[in-house]
Amino acid sequence: MIKKAVIPAAGLGTRFLPATKAQPKEMLPIIDRPTIQYVVQEAVDSGIEDILIITGKGKRAIEDHFDRNFELENRLEEKEDQLLLDEMRRLSDMANLHYVRQRELNGLGDAIRYARHHVGNEPFAVLLGDTIMDSVIPVTQQLIDTYAQFGGSVIAVEEVPHDKVNRYGIVGGRPQSDRILELDTLVEKPSVSEAPSNLAIAGRYILTPEIFDALEQTEIGKNGEIQLTDAMRILLKRENIYAHRIEGKRHDIGNKLDFLKTTVEFALKRPEFAKPFMAYLKQVVAQAE
Ligand code: G1P
């Protein structure tokens, strides 16, 4: 039903400088896989095979990562490292990936405008390229299921502390069930007093193609950028929009502390590292106390 996904990955990654001066933040690795590989995997695990990545200046490494590298494959063949060879080939076969470059960095809403031609007239998923979700059911799949039930655009949300609402898009609406809200407002990075709730937009969306017309009408908003949240507020005048409180954990890789936590949590989930890494952590903590 949802066949296409868009991954915006053009941002400068200023929160992670200097590491992101000469490499995309989406290529920062969590253990041995770049962040964007987890994001592509989530889309694939949600039944999506056609993925458009919005890139920009300095983002070539993303394309190279998902492309074949024959020199490397030859070397692995010579070394008879079949496991790694298979993994490299699977990587370039994960999905049908397409790329378009955002010419100027005018915000998330502007980035999504570049997807219009590729997406055409069908609903599509958006997954922010610097956000990894850890969940049993892929978060994009959770949104697709809600879209199937309610129709209309669906946004992933999660509760954040009240004093942090000014870092996110915040939604307000009427509960339809335990996890679903029908929205009556969305505000990008409101002050604590303006915020309609503490439910923050969590970096995953299902959007109807009507968003493209709304984006054309969207004026410059917070931080001098075209905001997707503002376009959705325009869309809300024409269609219902739902928020889905996600089951799972969001990891914002663009944030240094979150990045460290994600590395630790994901390492503890990897069978080959779990035991020795836990032993090491205990030792480090004991020494620090
Ligand atoms: C973007 C969105 C915001 C959302 C956030 C989630 O903001 O504009 O609505 O809550 O992602 O990470 P950014 O973090 O790019 O400033």
Side-chain angles (χ1 to χ4, degrees):
M1 179 192 13
I2 304 291
K3 298 198 287 287
K4 291 179 182 168
V6 175
I7 302 181
L12 285 179
T14 45
R15 288 181 299 159
F16 221 119
L17 283 168
T20 46
K21 187 175 173 213
Q23 67 167 334
K25 64 176 163 177
E26 296 79 10
M27 289 301 291
L28 291 171
I30 300 300
I31 310 173
D32 53 2
R33 290 160 207 170
T35 297
I36 195 158
Q37 189 178 329
Y38 293 92
V39 179
V40 168
Q41 188 69 55
E42 181 191 326
V44 170
D45 290 344
S46 306
I48 295 170
E49 281 170 10
D50 183 304
I51 300 172
L52 176 71
I53 302 184
I54 318 277
T55 68
K57 199 170 177 298
K59 300 284 181 167
R60 282 276 296 280
I62 296 177
E63 292 178 51
D64 288 341
H65 181 70
F66 292 105
D67 202 356
R68 290 195 66 178
N69 180 336
F70 293 104
E71 204 180 340
L72 175 66
E73 288 181 26
N74 287 343
R75 188 61 58 89
L76 293 173
E77 248 165 26
E78 276 163 25
K79 286 174 64 184
E80 294 180 5
D81 192 337
Q82 196 58 40
L83 267 175
L84 213 45
L85 186 60
D86 288 346
E87 193 180 338
M88 290 308 104
R89 287 186 178 149
R90 265 200 311 276
L91 183 55
S92 46
D93 259 358
M94 276 178 86
N96 296 319
L97 293 172
H98 310 269
Y99 301 90
V100 60
R101 280 167 76 102
Q102 187 183 16
R103 281 186 293 275
E104 285 175 58
L105 295 180
N106 290 331
L108 179 59
D110 178 63
I112 299 299
R113 288 172 55 200
Y114 284 79
R116 185 170 202 159
H117 180 70
H118 186 85
V119 164
N121 197 27
E122 49 184 298
F124 61 103
V126 172
L127 297 85
L128 299 193
D130 59 1
T131 301
I132 298 179
M133 294 294 187
D134 187 11
S135 62
V136 178
I137 300 170
V139 169
T140 297
Q141 181 67 59
Q142 296 176 29
L143 302 190
I144 292 174
D145 293 344
T146 297
Y147 174 80
Q149 200 185 341
F150 289 86
S153 296
V154 183
I155 314 174
V157 295
E158 66 173 6
E159 283 178 26
V160 295
H162 284 277
D163 62 341
K164 299 220 163 66
V165 289
N166 61 356
R167 298 185 187 179
Y168 299 94
I170 302 291
V171 304
R174 284 153 284 132
Q176 300 294 301
S177 66
D178 191 22
R179 296 202 167 268
I180 317 291
L181 257 81
E182 188 182 323
L183 295 191
D184 48 38
T185 185
L186 309 89
V187 196
E188 183 65 16
K189 301 188 175 69
S191 64
V192 177
S193 59
E194 290 164 336
S197 74
N198 66 334
L199 283 174
I201 299 175
R204 299 290 187 264
Y205 311 74
I206 303 295
L207 298 175
T208 60
E210 284 69 27
I211 192 69
F212 294 115
D213 281 343
L215 279 165
E216 294 311 317
Q217 292 160 22
T218 304
E219 289 173 6
I220 291 170
K222 271 274 148 68
N223 300 334
E225 297 178 332
I226 305 280
Q227 297 293 348
L228 181 58
T229 305
D230 293 341
M232 296 197 80
R233 204 173 45 249
I234 294 175
L235 187 61
L236 192 56
K237 292 183 195 140
R238 302 174 198 153
E239 310 181 339
N240 288 348
I241 301 181
Y242 299 90
H244 178 119
R245 281 200 309 116
I246 59 171
E247 272 172 280
K249 191 163 177 190
R250 184 177 66 94
H251 297 271
D252 174 5
I253 302 306
N255 170 307
K256 291 176 192 175
L257 185 59
D258 242 15
F259 175 82
L260 287 170
K261 290 180 185 172
T262 309
T263 300
V264 171
E265 287 179 36
F266 278 48
L268 290 174
K269 284 178 188 238
R270 286 276 287 266
E272 69 269 50
F273 300 124
K275 267 195 183 163
F277 194 53
M278 178 59 98
Y280 166 76
L281 288 177
K282 281 184 177 157
Q283 189 194 337
V284 171
V285 171
Q287 276 166 3
E289 274 170 357

